Amino acid sequence: MVSYEIKRDRITIRTKNKKWEWVIEPRYWRNSLIWVGLLFIFPAVAYFVSPGLINTMISANLLAAIALPMSLMTLGTGRVNFGPNFFVGIGGYVAALLSIHLGMGPLFTLPFAVAVSLFAALIYSPLVIVARGLYYVLISLLLPGVFFEITVIYTNIFKGDTGLFGIKPLVDTGNAKINFILIAYLSLVIMVAFLWGINKTVKSRYGLIMAAINDDEEVAHGIGVNINKVKVITFIAASGMIGLIGWFYAHYFSSFAGQTYLTFTFMLKIFLAMMIGGRATMFGSVVGAYFVTFLEMLMIRYIGAIQPVLFPVILLILLFALPEGIFGLYRKRRYREYFPTIHVRR
Amino acid sequence: MAEIMKIRNISKNFGGIAAVKDLSFDIYEGETLGFIGPNGAGKSTVVNLLSGYLDTDAGSIEMNGMDITKMKPYQRAHLGLSRTYQIPRPFPELTALTSVATSAICGKKRYNQSFEDSLVEATHYLEFVGLFSKRSILARDLTFYELRMLELARALATTPRLLFIDEVMAGLNPGEAKDAIRMIERAKNDFGITIFWIEHVMAVLMEAADRIVAINHGEKLAEGTPEEVVNNEAVIEAYLGRGWKTYA
């Protein structure tokens, strides 16, 4: 009862009483469903072509899933947090310690990892109200470093130098390849869920309020926005999301080391993903994360591990050449589409 | 006429400097109250105190019988107090329509108002100030006069009962200034709001204000009808300096 029809410019699918039509025209390619669909096909294709690509994809998804809440945080608090990896560390260490010492599986460590991240964010949140500009940058930049120092000082708990091992794996089906592909899909689901939720928030009235805070806090306060409430809630929610990715890292690699996640290099990767896509643009963050991860993979394969040197250079060039990222170029031409405009016929 | 705002003995010190000293006056419902003073008299400080950006050191501010001395700016906005700025402060990255829509969403509480409703309402205010055709243009790309009008639309969209206008004439040419005055008059009549107008240009207030309060060094010099205030010795002395008569 299903009939297909392919014409020059459209595909039509008809069932008994429904009709779907897809117009093949570049301006409809902006439909995010197409791109998300392609991402879902990717692991299955990579499984047969080059299984190593799945690993890169997982990394890209996780990086995007950090860059997305980070963008939300930047938009909602009107400040750039230079230490989002602090919450990756918290989520990861909580999951790792609970799994190692209490033998908890990933499903049981998840609520604890997120809850502790949220609690840490709640304690951290007054800074979003009090500190501004350079002071906020300095404090947020220092916190992951301080946390790393703590993991080294209390090395009997955190194993700061070597990292914690023996964390229960995220998925355990007995078949390594299937595990891998399941993890790829799980990371993709988390990333897409973040993307959907955050994009929905940004396009709603709360997004508009956040944009107002981002533009001018005092004026936003004057027109009736409870800026402290909005800033704290955004900050805590975004931190919880980042903490969840820490949990994912810990169970995915079955090990967790501050050396990897609490250092400047990792922070730089998150930043580069955000900047390439465009500050505080959601789809841009995903593009940026994929770009950075694949660039890193190519660099390691063909030039050697010089990304700690090259990434800052790329970031600097981008700051001057393309301050609003790839999506900034698009936005400059078509900013009207960013927020709904209404057209009144006279 | 009932008082919409009662200001009693407010004071503000910045370090050792007393910016506002023991200032008291009332704003009555439906009037246009002019607020004048020479440079550095403390006009903007008073506006900041009344709109909640600064905390008073002493004294009380009441709005509709409610003590708002300790309230934050957003709470005062919800009660129906709105302001424009001396130098326009638009949201540069938002379009004209969305800037005004933000006000409509955040201002006085309106129940069951959807995002789309607020956009429709914003259109109304944009049309009122004559910026409808510029609704999709980013605020940073508007001209100075248009920014002033956008500020007015943004302030009106919070549905205020009392509107503070801070030196609306600054930077406008005579033609634009005339338009701006007419627009404020219309806003007052159409929306039934009370206006508290801080201004440097006396001629404007002579025409538009029902009453005028003059201050200097943070203290009240005179209060009364425009004619009374303009002919007040202390006011003239504050503007022209002591011994002005010898040069007159």
Side-chain angles (χ1 to χ4, degrees), chain A residues 242-302:
Chain A
I242 299 175
L244 190 139
I245 303 306
W247 162 85
F248 197 106
Y249 273 125
H251 286 287
Y252 167 37
F253 291 115
S254 289
S255 71
F256 196 85
Q259 189 79 51
T260 320
Y261 301 107
L262 292 173
T263 48
F264 194 68
T265 324
F266 187 67
M267 193 278 288
L268 212 62
K269 253 169 73 176
I270 300 171
F271 245 76
L272 202 57
M274 241 179 82
M275 287 300 299
I276 288 176
R279 278 172 301 182
T281 52
M282 303 311 146
F283 293 100
S285 301
V286 180
V287 176
Y290 269 80
F291 182 83
V292 169
T293 318
F294 278 86
L295 183 73
E296 191 185 17
M297 182 196 76
L298 291 175
M299 269 186 196
I300 292 171
R301 192 170 288 177
Y302 297 110

Short mmCIF file of all heavy atoms in Angstrom, two decimals, chain A residues 242-302:
data_model
loop_
_atom_site.label_atom_id
_atom_site.label_comp_id
_atom_site.label_asym_id
_atom_site.label_seq_id
_atom_site.Cartn_x
_atom_site.Cartn_y
_atom_site.Cartn_z
N ILE A 242 27.84 18.53 31.63
CA ILE A 242 29.26 18.26 31.40
C ILE A 242 29.74 17.14 32.34
O ILE A 242 30.52 16.28 31.93
CB ILE A 242 30.10 19.55 31.61
CG1 ILE A 242 29.65 20.62 30.61
CG2 ILE A 242 31.57 19.28 31.43
CD1 ILE A 242 30.31 21.96 30.78
N GLY A 243 29.21 17.13 33.58
CA GLY A 243 29.57 16.08 34.53
C GLY A 243 29.18 14.70 34.00
O GLY A 243 29.89 13.72 34.20
N LEU A 244 28.05 14.64 33.29
CA LEU A 244 27.59 13.37 32.72
C LEU A 244 28.61 12.83 31.72
O LEU A 244 28.84 11.63 31.63
CB LEU A 244 26.24 13.59 32.04
CG LEU A 244 25.49 12.36 31.59
CD1 LEU A 244 24.02 12.53 31.89
CD2 LEU A 244 25.65 12.09 30.11
N ILE A 245 29.24 13.74 30.98
CA ILE A 245 30.25 13.30 30.01
C ILE A 245 31.49 12.76 30.73
O ILE A 245 32.13 11.80 30.26
CB ILE A 245 30.62 14.45 29.05
CG1 ILE A 245 29.37 14.96 28.35
CG2 ILE A 245 31.64 14.00 28.01
CD1 ILE A 245 28.56 13.91 27.64
N GLY A 246 31.79 13.34 31.91
CA GLY A 246 32.88 12.79 32.72
C GLY A 246 32.60 11.35 33.10
O GLY A 246 33.48 10.48 33.01
N TRP A 247 31.34 11.11 33.51
CA TRP A 247 30.91 9.73 33.83
C TRP A 247 31.12 8.81 32.64
O TRP A 247 31.60 7.69 32.74
CB TRP A 247 29.44 9.78 34.23
CG TRP A 247 28.71 8.48 34.20
CD1 TRP A 247 28.68 7.56 35.20
CD2 TRP A 247 27.92 7.95 33.13
NE1 TRP A 247 27.91 6.49 34.81
CE2 TRP A 247 27.43 6.70 33.54
CE3 TRP A 247 27.57 8.41 31.86
CZ2 TRP A 247 26.62 5.90 32.74
CZ3 TRP A 247 26.77 7.62 31.05
CH2 TRP A 247 26.30 6.39 31.49
N PHE A 248 30.76 9.30 31.45
CA PHE A 248 30.89 8.51 30.22
C PHE A 248 32.35 8.16 29.96
O PHE A 248 32.69 7.00 29.68
CB PHE A 248 30.31 9.31 29.03
CG PHE A 248 30.02 8.48 27.82
CD1 PHE A 248 28.72 8.16 27.48
CD2 PHE A 248 31.06 8.01 27.01
CE1 PHE A 248 28.44 7.39 26.34
CE2 PHE A 248 30.80 7.25 25.89
CZ PHE A 248 29.49 6.94 25.57
N TYR A 249 33.23 9.16 30.09
CA TYR A 249 34.66 8.94 29.85
C TYR A 249 35.19 7.85 30.77
O TYR A 249 35.92 6.95 30.34
CB TYR A 249 35.46 10.22 30.10
CG TYR A 249 35.56 11.14 28.91
CD1 TYR A 249 35.16 12.47 28.99
CD2 TYR A 249 36.10 10.69 27.70
CE1 TYR A 249 35.25 13.32 27.91
CE2 TYR A 249 36.20 11.53 26.61
CZ TYR A 249 35.77 12.86 26.72
OH TYR A 249 35.87 13.68 25.64
N ALA A 250 34.82 7.95 32.07
CA ALA A 250 35.35 7.01 33.06
C ALA A 250 34.97 5.57 32.72
O ALA A 250 35.80 4.67 32.74
CB ALA A 250 34.83 7.38 34.45
N HIS A 251 33.70 5.37 32.36
CA HIS A 251 33.25 4.00 32.09
C HIS A 251 33.65 3.53 30.70
O HIS A 251 33.82 2.34 30.47
CB HIS A 251 31.73 3.90 32.28
CG HIS A 251 31.32 3.91 33.71
ND1 HIS A 251 31.52 2.84 34.54
CD2 HIS A 251 30.76 4.88 34.47
CE1 HIS A 251 31.09 3.13 35.76
NE2 HIS A 251 30.63 4.38 35.74
N TYR A 252 33.79 4.46 29.78
CA TYR A 252 34.14 4.10 28.41
C TYR A 252 35.57 3.55 28.35
O TYR A 252 35.83 2.50 27.78
CB TYR A 252 33.97 5.33 27.51
CG TYR A 252 34.56 5.27 26.13
CD1 TYR A 252 34.54 4.09 25.38
CD2 TYR A 252 35.12 6.40 25.55
CE1 TYR A 252 35.07 4.05 24.10
CE2 TYR A 252 35.64 6.37 24.28
CZ TYR A 252 35.63 5.20 23.56
OH TYR A 252 36.16 5.16 22.31
N PHE A 253 36.52 4.27 28.99
CA PHE A 253 37.91 3.83 28.94
C PHE A 253 38.24 2.87 30.08
O PHE A 253 39.36 2.35 30.14
CB PHE A 253 38.85 5.03 29.01
CG PHE A 253 38.80 5.89 27.77
CD1 PHE A 253 38.34 7.19 27.82
CD2 PHE A 253 39.23 5.37 26.55
CE1 PHE A 253 38.30 7.97 26.68
CE2 PHE A 253 39.19 6.15 25.40
CZ PHE A 253 38.72 7.45 25.47
N SER A 254 37.32 2.70 31.02
CA SER A 254 37.56 1.90 32.24
C SER A 254 38.73 2.45 33.05
O SER A 254 39.33 1.74 33.86
CB SER A 254 37.83 0.42 31.91
OG SER A 254 36.63 -0.16 31.49
N SER A 255 39.10 3.67 32.76
CA SER A 255 40.15 4.32 33.57
C SER A 255 39.89 5.82 33.53
O SER A 255 39.22 6.32 32.62
CB SER A 255 41.53 4.02 33.00
OG SER A 255 41.71 4.72 31.79
N PHE A 256 40.40 6.52 34.55
CA PHE A 256 40.20 7.97 34.56
C PHE A 256 41.40 8.64 35.21
O PHE A 256 41.79 8.30 36.32
CB PHE A 256 38.92 8.32 35.33
CG PHE A 256 38.45 9.71 35.06
CD1 PHE A 256 37.66 9.99 33.96
CD2 PHE A 256 38.83 10.76 35.89
CE1 PHE A 256 37.24 11.28 33.69
CE2 PHE A 256 38.41 12.05 35.63
CZ PHE A 256 37.62 12.32 34.53
N ALA A 257 42.00 9.56 34.48
CA ALA A 257 43.19 10.25 34.99
C ALA A 257 43.02 11.76 34.84
O ALA A 257 42.63 12.24 33.76
CB ALA A 257 44.43 9.78 34.24
N GLY A 258 43.32 12.47 35.89
CA GLY A 258 43.26 13.93 35.85
C GLY A 258 44.21 14.50 34.81
O GLY A 258 43.96 15.53 34.20
N GLN A 259 45.30 13.79 34.62
CA GLN A 259 46.31 14.20 33.64
C GLN A 259 45.68 14.43 32.25
O GLN A 259 46.10 15.30 31.50
CB GLN A 259 47.35 13.07 33.54
CG GLN A 259 48.57 13.40 32.73
CD GLN A 259 49.55 14.25 33.52
OE1 GLN A 259 49.91 13.91 34.64
NE2 GLN A 259 49.97 15.36 32.95
N THR A 260 44.68 13.63 31.92
CA THR A 260 44.08 13.72 30.59
C THR A 260 43.03 14.82 30.52
O THR A 260 42.94 15.54 29.53
CB THR A 260 43.39 12.38 30.23
OG1 THR A 260 44.22 11.33 30.68
CG2 THR A 260 43.15 12.25 28.75
N TYR A 261 42.20 14.91 31.58
CA TYR A 261 41.01 15.75 31.45
C TYR A 261 41.11 17.10 32.16
O TYR A 261 40.37 18.01 31.85
CB TYR A 261 39.78 15.00 31.97
CG TYR A 261 39.56 13.72 31.22
CD1 TYR A 261 39.84 12.50 31.81
CD2 TYR A 261 39.12 13.74 29.90
CE1 TYR A 261 39.67 11.32 31.12
CE2 TYR A 261 38.95 12.56 29.20
CZ TYR A 261 39.23 11.36 29.82
OH TYR A 261 39.08 10.21 29.12
N LEU A 262 42.00 17.20 33.12
CA LEU A 262 42.04 18.44 33.90
C LEU A 262 43.13 19.40 33.42
O LEU A 262 43.36 20.43 34.02
CB LEU A 262 42.25 18.13 35.38
CG LEU A 262 41.06 17.43 36.05
CD1 LEU A 262 41.42 17.01 37.46
CD2 LEU A 262 39.85 18.33 36.07
N THR A 263 43.76 19.04 32.33
CA THR A 263 44.87 19.89 31.87
C THR A 263 44.41 20.89 30.83
O THR A 263 43.30 20.83 30.30
CB THR A 263 45.99 19.02 31.26
OG1 THR A 263 45.38 18.12 30.35
CG2 THR A 263 46.75 18.29 32.33
N PHE A 264 45.34 21.79 30.53
CA PHE A 264 45.07 22.88 29.61
C PHE A 264 44.79 22.36 28.19
O PHE A 264 43.96 22.91 27.47
CB PHE A 264 46.29 23.80 29.60
CG PHE A 264 46.04 25.11 28.94
CD1 PHE A 264 45.18 26.02 29.53
CD2 PHE A 264 46.65 25.44 27.76
CE1 PHE A 264 44.94 27.24 28.93
CE2 PHE A 264 46.41 26.66 27.16
CZ PHE A 264 45.56 27.57 27.75
N THR A 265 45.46 21.27 27.82
CA THR A 265 45.32 20.74 26.46
C THR A 265 43.88 20.33 26.17
O THR A 265 43.34 20.63 25.10
CB THR A 265 46.22 19.49 26.28
OG1 THR A 265 47.42 19.71 27.00
CG2 THR A 265 46.51 19.23 24.83
N PHE A 266 43.27 19.67 27.14
CA PHE A 266 41.89 19.21 26.94
C PHE A 266 40.93 20.39 26.87
O PHE A 266 40.03 20.44 26.03
CB PHE A 266 41.48 18.26 28.08
CG PHE A 266 40.16 17.60 27.87
CD1 PHE A 266 39.98 16.69 26.86
CD2 PHE A 266 39.08 17.91 28.68
CE1 PHE A 266 38.75 16.08 26.65
CE2 PHE A 266 37.84 17.32 28.47
CZ PHE A 266 37.68 16.40 27.46
N MET A 267 41.19 21.38 27.75
CA MET A 267 40.37 22.60 27.75
C MET A 267 40.45 23.28 26.38
O MET A 267 39.45 23.74 25.84
CB MET A 267 40.88 23.52 28.85
CG MET A 267 39.97 24.66 29.19
SD MET A 267 40.12 26.03 28.09
CE MET A 267 41.67 26.71 28.51
N LEU A 268 41.66 23.27 25.84
CA LEU A 268 41.88 23.93 24.54
C LEU A 268 41.08 23.27 23.44
O LEU A 268 40.54 23.94 22.55
CB LEU A 268 43.37 23.86 24.22
CG LEU A 268 43.92 25.02 23.43
CD1 LEU A 268 43.76 26.30 24.23
CD2 LEU A 268 45.38 24.79 23.12
N LYS A 269 40.98 21.93 23.52
CA LYS A 269 40.22 21.19 22.50
C LYS A 269 38.74 21.60 22.56
O LYS A 269 38.11 21.84 21.52
CB LYS A 269 40.34 19.69 22.76
CG LYS A 269 41.23 19.00 21.75
CD LYS A 269 41.57 17.60 22.15
CE LYS A 269 40.43 16.63 22.02
NZ LYS A 269 40.87 15.24 22.35
N ILE A 270 38.20 21.69 23.77
CA ILE A 270 36.80 22.08 23.94
C ILE A 270 36.60 23.48 23.37
O ILE A 270 35.64 23.76 22.64
CB ILE A 270 36.41 22.08 25.44
CG1 ILE A 270 36.60 20.69 26.04
CG2 ILE A 270 34.97 22.53 25.61
CD1 ILE A 270 36.44 20.67 27.54
N PHE A 271 37.56 24.34 23.68
CA PHE A 271 37.45 25.72 23.22
C PHE A 271 37.50 25.84 21.72
O PHE A 271 36.76 26.60 21.11
CB PHE A 271 38.60 26.53 23.83
CG PHE A 271 38.06 27.52 24.74
CD1 PHE A 271 37.59 27.13 25.98
CD2 PHE A 271 37.92 28.83 24.35
CE1 PHE A 271 37.02 28.02 26.81
CE2 PHE A 271 37.36 29.74 25.18
CZ PHE A 271 36.91 29.35 26.42
N LEU A 272 38.42 25.05 21.13
CA LEU A 272 38.58 25.09 19.68
C LEU A 272 37.29 24.61 19.02
O LEU A 272 36.84 25.21 18.03
CB LEU A 272 39.75 24.19 19.29
CG LEU A 272 40.41 24.49 17.95
CD1 LEU A 272 40.88 25.92 17.91
CD2 LEU A 272 41.58 23.56 17.73
N ALA A 273 36.69 23.55 19.59
CA ALA A 273 35.43 23.05 19.04
C ALA A 273 34.36 24.14 19.09
O ALA A 273 33.58 24.31 18.15
CB ALA A 273 34.97 21.83 19.83
N MET A 274 34.36 24.89 20.20
CA MET A 274 33.36 25.96 20.33
C MET A 274 33.62 27.10 19.36
O MET A 274 32.72 27.64 18.74
CB MET A 274 33.42 26.52 21.76
CG MET A 274 32.16 26.38 22.53
SD MET A 274 32.42 27.03 24.16
CE MET A 274 32.19 28.76 23.88
N MET A 275 34.89 27.45 19.22
CA MET A 275 35.25 28.62 18.43
C MET A 275 35.11 28.37 16.93
O MET A 275 34.71 29.25 16.18
CB MET A 275 36.70 29.05 18.71
CG MET A 275 36.90 29.68 20.03
SD MET A 275 35.89 31.16 20.22
CE MET A 275 36.55 32.16 18.90
N ILE A 276 35.47 27.16 16.49
CA ILE A 276 35.38 26.87 15.06
C ILE A 276 33.93 26.93 14.61
O ILE A 276 33.59 27.51 13.59
CB ILE A 276 36.01 25.49 14.74
CG1 ILE A 276 37.52 25.60 14.86
CG2 ILE A 276 35.64 25.03 13.34
CD1 ILE A 276 38.25 24.31 14.67
N GLY A 277 33.07 26.34 15.41
CA GLY A 277 31.65 26.36 15.06
C GLY A 277 31.08 27.76 15.18
O GLY A 277 30.26 28.19 14.38
N GLY A 278 31.52 28.47 16.17
CA GLY A 278 30.97 29.80 16.41
C GLY A 278 30.51 29.88 17.84
O GLY A 278 29.86 28.98 18.34
N ARG A 279 30.87 30.98 18.52
CA ARG A 279 30.52 31.11 19.93
C ARG A 279 29.01 31.00 20.11
O ARG A 279 28.25 31.67 19.41
CB ARG A 279 30.97 32.47 20.44
CG ARG A 279 32.42 32.50 20.81
CD ARG A 279 32.83 33.90 21.11
NE ARG A 279 32.60 34.76 19.95
CZ ARG A 279 32.90 36.03 19.91
NH1 ARG A 279 33.40 36.61 20.94
NH2 ARG A 279 32.68 36.74 18.81
N ALA A 280 28.62 30.19 21.06
CA ALA A 280 27.22 30.11 21.45
C ALA A 280 26.28 29.80 20.29
O ALA A 280 25.16 30.25 20.24
CB ALA A 280 26.78 31.39 22.15
N THR A 281 26.76 29.03 19.31
CA THR A 281 25.83 28.49 18.32
C THR A 281 25.84 26.98 18.50
O THR A 281 26.90 26.39 18.62
CB THR A 281 26.26 28.81 16.88
OG1 THR A 281 27.60 28.40 16.71
CG2 THR A 281 26.11 30.27 16.56
N MET A 282 24.66 26.39 18.53
CA MET A 282 24.57 25.00 18.94
C MET A 282 25.04 24.04 17.85
O MET A 282 25.87 23.18 18.08
CB MET A 282 23.15 24.67 19.38
CG MET A 282 22.67 25.58 20.47
SD MET A 282 23.86 25.71 21.80
CE MET A 282 23.64 27.38 22.34
N PHE A 283 24.52 24.24 16.63
CA PHE A 283 24.92 23.32 15.56
C PHE A 283 26.40 23.53 15.24
O PHE A 283 27.11 22.60 14.86
CB PHE A 283 24.05 23.53 14.33
CG PHE A 283 22.64 23.13 14.57
CD1 PHE A 283 21.66 24.06 14.84
CD2 PHE A 283 22.29 21.79 14.54
CE1 PHE A 283 20.37 23.69 15.10
CE2 PHE A 283 20.99 21.39 14.80
CZ PHE A 283 20.02 22.34 15.08
N GLY A 284 26.87 24.75 15.40
CA GLY A 284 28.28 25.06 15.17
C GLY A 284 29.19 24.25 16.08
O GLY A 284 30.24 23.79 15.66
N SER A 285 28.75 24.05 17.33
CA SER A 285 29.58 23.30 18.28
C SER A 285 29.81 21.87 17.80
O SER A 285 30.89 21.31 17.95
CB SER A 285 28.91 23.26 19.65
OG SER A 285 28.72 24.55 20.12
N VAL A 286 28.76 21.28 17.22
CA VAL A 286 28.88 19.90 16.75
C VAL A 286 29.84 19.84 15.57
O VAL A 286 30.75 18.99 15.52
CB VAL A 286 27.49 19.34 16.35
CG1 VAL A 286 27.62 17.91 15.86
CG2 VAL A 286 26.54 19.43 17.53
N VAL A 287 29.67 20.78 14.64
CA VAL A 287 30.57 20.83 13.48
C VAL A 287 32.00 21.02 13.97
O VAL A 287 32.94 20.33 13.54
CB VAL A 287 30.17 22.00 12.54
CG1 VAL A 287 31.15 22.12 11.39
CG2 VAL A 287 28.77 21.79 12.01
N GLY A 288 32.17 21.93 14.91
CA GLY A 288 33.49 22.22 15.46
C GLY A 288 34.12 21.01 16.11
O GLY A 288 35.30 20.71 15.91
N ALA A 289 33.32 20.28 16.90
CA ALA A 289 33.84 19.11 17.62
C ALA A 289 34.31 18.05 16.63
O ALA A 289 35.39 17.47 16.79
CB ALA A 289 32.76 18.54 18.53
N TYR A 290 33.52 17.80 15.59
CA TYR A 290 33.93 16.81 14.58
C TYR A 290 35.19 17.27 13.87
O TYR A 290 36.11 16.49 13.62
CB TYR A 290 32.79 16.57 13.58
CG TYR A 290 31.89 15.43 14.03
CD1 TYR A 290 30.92 15.63 15.00
CD2 TYR A 290 32.07 14.15 13.53
CE1 TYR A 290 30.13 14.61 15.45
CE2 TYR A 290 31.28 13.10 13.97
CZ TYR A 290 30.31 13.33 14.93
OH TYR A 290 29.54 12.30 15.37
N PHE A 291 35.25 18.57 13.56
CA PHE A 291 36.41 19.12 12.85
C PHE A 291 37.67 18.93 13.70
O PHE A 291 38.68 18.43 13.21
CB PHE A 291 36.15 20.61 12.58
CG PHE A 291 37.24 21.29 11.83
CD1 PHE A 291 37.31 21.20 10.44
CD2 PHE A 291 38.21 22.02 12.50
CE1 PHE A 291 38.33 21.82 9.75
CE2 PHE A 291 39.23 22.65 11.82
CZ PHE A 291 39.29 22.55 10.44
N VAL A 292 37.58 19.30 14.98
CA VAL A 292 38.75 19.23 15.85
C VAL A 292 39.21 17.78 16.02
O VAL A 292 40.40 17.48 15.92
CB VAL A 292 38.43 19.84 17.24
CG1 VAL A 292 39.53 19.55 18.24
CG2 VAL A 292 38.22 21.32 17.11
N THR A 293 38.26 16.87 16.25
CA THR A 293 38.64 15.48 16.50
C THR A 293 39.29 14.85 15.27
O THR A 293 40.31 14.16 15.38
CB THR A 293 37.41 14.66 16.92
OG1 THR A 293 36.65 15.43 17.82
CG2 THR A 293 37.80 13.37 17.57
N PHE A 294 38.69 15.11 14.10
CA PHE A 294 39.27 14.51 12.90
C PHE A 294 40.61 15.17 12.55
O PHE A 294 41.53 14.51 12.07
CB PHE A 294 38.28 14.59 11.73
CG PHE A 294 37.27 13.47 11.77
CD1 PHE A 294 36.11 13.59 12.52
CD2 PHE A 294 37.52 12.28 11.10
CE1 PHE A 294 35.20 12.55 12.59
CE2 PHE A 294 36.62 11.23 11.17
CZ PHE A 294 35.45 11.36 11.92
N LEU A 295 40.72 16.47 12.82
CA LEU A 295 41.99 17.16 12.59
C LEU A 295 43.07 16.56 13.49
O LEU A 295 44.19 16.30 13.04
CB LEU A 295 41.81 18.66 12.90
CG LEU A 295 43.03 19.54 12.64
CD1 LEU A 295 43.23 19.71 11.13
CD2 LEU A 295 42.86 20.91 13.28
N GLU A 296 42.72 16.31 14.74
CA GLU A 296 43.66 15.74 15.69
C GLU A 296 44.11 14.35 15.24
O GLU A 296 45.30 14.03 15.26
CB GLU A 296 43.01 15.66 17.08
CG GLU A 296 43.99 15.34 18.18
CD GLU A 296 43.30 15.15 19.53
OE1 GLU A 296 42.07 14.95 19.54
OE2 GLU A 296 44.00 15.20 20.54
N MET A 297 43.13 13.57 14.78
CA MET A 297 43.45 12.22 14.32
C MET A 297 44.42 12.26 13.13
O MET A 297 45.42 11.55 13.10
CB MET A 297 42.16 11.51 13.92
CG MET A 297 42.34 10.08 13.46
SD MET A 297 40.89 9.50 12.60
CE MET A 297 41.07 10.31 11.01
N LEU A 298 44.13 13.17 12.19
CA LEU A 298 44.99 13.27 11.01
C LEU A 298 46.38 13.75 11.39
O LEU A 298 47.39 13.26 10.87
CB LEU A 298 44.37 14.24 9.99
CG LEU A 298 43.08 13.76 9.32
CD1 LEU A 298 42.50 14.83 8.42
CD2 LEU A 298 43.35 12.49 8.51
N MET A 299 46.43 14.69 12.33
CA MET A 299 47.72 15.22 12.78
C MET A 299 48.57 14.12 13.39
O MET A 299 49.74 13.97 13.06
CB MET A 299 47.49 16.30 13.84
CG MET A 299 47.37 17.68 13.31
SD MET A 299 47.28 18.74 14.75
CE MET A 299 46.69 20.20 14.01
N ILE A 300 47.93 13.34 14.29
CA ILE A 300 48.68 12.27 14.97
C ILE A 300 49.17 11.25 13.95
O ILE A 300 50.30 10.78 14.01
CB ILE A 300 47.81 11.60 16.05
CG1 ILE A 300 47.55 12.60 17.18
CG2 ILE A 300 48.46 10.35 16.60
CD1 ILE A 300 46.53 12.14 18.20
N ARG A 301 48.34 10.98 12.96
CA ARG A 301 48.69 9.95 11.99
C ARG A 301 49.81 10.43 11.04
O ARG A 301 50.69 9.68 10.71
CB ARG A 301 47.45 9.55 11.19
CG ARG A 301 47.68 8.28 10.38
CD ARG A 301 46.40 7.76 9.80
NE ARG A 301 45.51 7.17 10.79
CZ ARG A 301 44.30 6.70 10.51
NH1 ARG A 301 43.82 6.78 9.28
NH2 ARG A 301 43.57 6.18 11.45
N TYR A 302 49.74 11.69 10.60
CA TYR A 302 50.66 12.11 9.54
C TYR A 302 51.79 13.04 10.01
O TYR A 302 52.84 13.09 9.40
CB TYR A 302 49.89 12.78 8.41
CG TYR A 302 48.92 11.83 7.74
CD1 TYR A 302 47.55 11.96 7.88
CD2 TYR A 302 49.41 10.75 6.98
CE1 TYR A 302 46.67 11.07 7.29
CE2 TYR A 302 48.54 9.85 6.39
CZ TYR A 302 47.17 10.01 6.55
OH TYR A 302 46.31 9.12 5.97
#
